Structure formats: structure tokens, C-alpha cells
Amino acid sequence: MHDQVALEGGAFSMGDAFDEGYPADGERPVHTVRVAPFGIDVTTVTVAMFRAFAEESGYVTVAEREGSSAVFHLAVAAERADVVRSDPAVPWWLEVRGADWRHPHGPLSTAEPDHPVVHVAWDDAVAYCAWAGRRLPTEAEWEYAARGGLEGQRFAWGDELLPGGRWPCNIWQGRFPYENTGADGHLATAPVRSYPPNGFGLHEVAGNVWEWCADLFAPDYYAHSPVEDPRGPEGGDRRVMRGGSYLCHHSYCHRYRVAARSANTPGSSSGNCGFRTVSRRPGER
């Protein structure tokens, strides 16, 4: 069910070598990390994969229980009455009644089976992992895998955003958040495997959807992170997200760089966040 690659692990330089990150995200200092061997999904978990879990287990996601979730304003597929809340600080996000993993843009939409599942909170991702006998990657595992063997590069494919003049990932083109030219072919999510894989064979580790990691988040964690298999700080109220999404743009969210980090509370869900899983090590639960 999970198409994965087995990675040998090893040491790498983790963090932002270009000092281009947002200070509050804590992408520096660059520090040496060593990860043990692990297997990681080639793609994010798809709608079809999550449907198998929900149908077999009867699991109901946070968004389904709460009755609404956050949808990008240009993608909303709902009656006006179902738009229940907006935030003046981020007016491009609308809380839409009936938006969930089955209806990613609202109740008038239907999720495509080969797209990444979205509107999954960290708690939902962990529940899926327990059912599948897998786990979420640590942040260090995620960055090691996303780099694909490249050392100190800006992106998962190298230093140029448009190698050969072609878009290598699904991010925003145009004037955020009002006009998307669609130069990469997508307004919202793209099907998995739409873009070339990185050096380890992983697809869409930049853009498309944010990916939950196992770690709690602290902006100063890199300053005292252990070298061997770091697993994040002991405390905190947010979980790490990696990879950026289809909404990332250099003018607003320059987080499709391979070192970029973000975080959200474990009960939060939106139309641009999903996850991929890794295999459990012997003895892990």
C-alpha cells in the first residue's frame, strides 16, 4: 500500500545555508545531524489511501467533527452561507462549513483519489499512522530525505528555482493572493507524482502540500539539537510542518526551500496540509 524508498541514513548539514529564512522559524544555525536508516513514502498519503483507512476504521477527522475547515479563497466551492468565518489578518483563508478530506474546497467539491489528502490535522495523521503500522517522520528524517543527497542546496533539486525554465514544483505564480497565472498548471493541489522526483526518488517534497512531522516546534531548537537522530524539543504547543504548499510565493511564504520550517497546532486543518509516513524501526510503536 505504501510505495517507499529505503534510505541508508547518515550525516548531513541541516538548516539554511543561505540565511534566507524567517528568523521566527529558526532555520539556523546550520548543524550536523546523523539519522539512522529508515524507509519513507515516495509520495504524500493520497485521498485513496486515506479513504481506505477511514472506511476500514470508521475514523472521523477533526475537520469532520468540527464541521468546517480552512479553504483558500480562490478555491472555495460552497454556497455563500457555508462560508462561516474569515480572519482580517489573513483574508485569503476562509472557514468553510463542510470542507474536509472528502470535500477539499467545500461541500460542492469532491476529492480526487490521486491527490494528496488535505484537511488532516496532526492528530488525524497520527491516527492514520497507527492504523497503517507506520509513523510520521522526524524533522531531521524529513530534511535528510527531501535533500535527496544534495548538500547545502537551496531547493530539493539544486539552487535554481526554474531549472531549464520549467516549474519543478507546485507553488504560486503571479500576485499573491489575488492572481495565480497557473504557469505550473495548478491553482490548488496537483496529483502526486506530477513533478520529477528528487535524488532519492521522492515526489513533491517542495510545494503542493505542507507535510506534518513528528516533532514539537521551537524556534531555538537548532542551537542545541543533538547530532544523533534528533526528535525535537521536549515541550511546545505546535508541531513541525515541512515542504511548503501550493500557496507559497517568494513575496509571502518563501518556504519551498528545503531547509524551510513552519508549525501549527495539532488540531488545525486546512486545504494545503497533508503528510507522508515512514516505516517503524524495530521495537517502535
Side-chain angles (χ1 to χ4, degrees):
M1 183 178 181
H2 285 259
D3 184 10
Q4 71 167 22
V5 292
L7 301 182
E8 295 180 355
F12 74 106
S13 296
M14 184 172 180
D16 174 20
F18 299 88
D19 197 14
E20 295 175 329
Y22 302 100
D25 289 349
E27 296 177 21
R28 291 172 66 85
V30 176
H31 56 292
T32 298
V33 164
R34 185 177 295 107
V35 294
F38 64 103
I40 186 167
D41 292 339
V42 169
T43 73
T44 53
V45 171
T46 65
V47 170
M49 295 164 69
F50 199 83
R51 178 178 289 115
F53 155 62
E55 290 180 351
E56 181 176 306
S57 67
Y59 184 81
V60 179
T61 62
V62 171
E64 290 172 292
R65 296 195 298 270
E66 294 187 348
S68 65
S69 190
V71 180
F72 180 64
H73 73 124
L74 295 183
V76 170
E79 302 291 348
R80 184 180 297 272
D82 286 324
V83 178
V84 295
R85 187 169 68 253
S86 61
D87 183 347
V90 281
W92 49 90
W93 279 117
L94 302 175
E95 191 73 13
V96 176
R97 185 183 294 115
D100 55 41
W101 70 269
R102 291 183 176 90
H103 311 95
H105 309 306
L108 301 182
S109 65
T110 301
E112 297 290 337
D114 61 346
H115 281 238
V117 68
V118 292
H119 298 291
V120 283
W122 187 88
D123 293 336
D124 302 326
V126 169
Y128 174 93
C129 288
W131 171 80
R134 299 178 67 78
R135 62 176 175 85
L136 291 177
T138 66
E139 184 177 18
E141 289 171 334
W142 191 96
E143 185 169 326
Y144 174 84
R147 289 187 175 279
L150 296 179
E151 184 74 17
Q153 300 291 292
R154 180 175 283 110
F155 305 114
W157 52 86
D159 276 340
E160 295 183 32
L161 177 58
L162 294 175
R166 307 182 73 171
W167 287 96
C169 64
N170 178 18
I171 56 175
W172 187 275
Q173 298 91 42
R175 187 171 60 93
F176 184 86
Y178 305 109
E179 178 190 9
N180 189 334
T181 66
D184 64 3
H186 305 281
L187 171 65
T189 59
V192 300
R193 302 177 192 265
S194 288
Y195 297 90
N198 72 357
F200 288 158
L202 276 61
H203 292 265
E204 288 89 46
V205 289
N208 217 25
V209 295
W210 283 103
E211 301 181 25
W212 288 113
C213 291
D215 308 36
L216 289 164
F217 174 83
D220 62 349
Y221 181 64
Y222 283 9
H224 52 82
S225 169
V227 172
E228 299 291 338
D229 269 324
R231 294 182 176 268
E234 293 292 325
D237 59 359
R238 293 183 292 163
R239 296 285 177 172
V240 171
M241 304 188 305
R242 284 304 206 109
S245 82
Y246 58 82
L247 296 179
C248 281
H249 186 260
H250 67 84
S251 69
Y252 167 68
C253 181
H254 190 221
R255 294 188 179 96
Y256 43 89
R257 295 167 295 105
V258 73
R261 334 167 59 208
S262 191
N264 209 343
T265 54
S268 297
S269 66
S270 66
N272 69 335
C273 189
F275 65 105
R276 77 179 71 210
T277 73
V278 300
S279 54
R280 290 178 181 167
R281 294 172 182 161
E284 281 186 336
R285 300 184 62 183

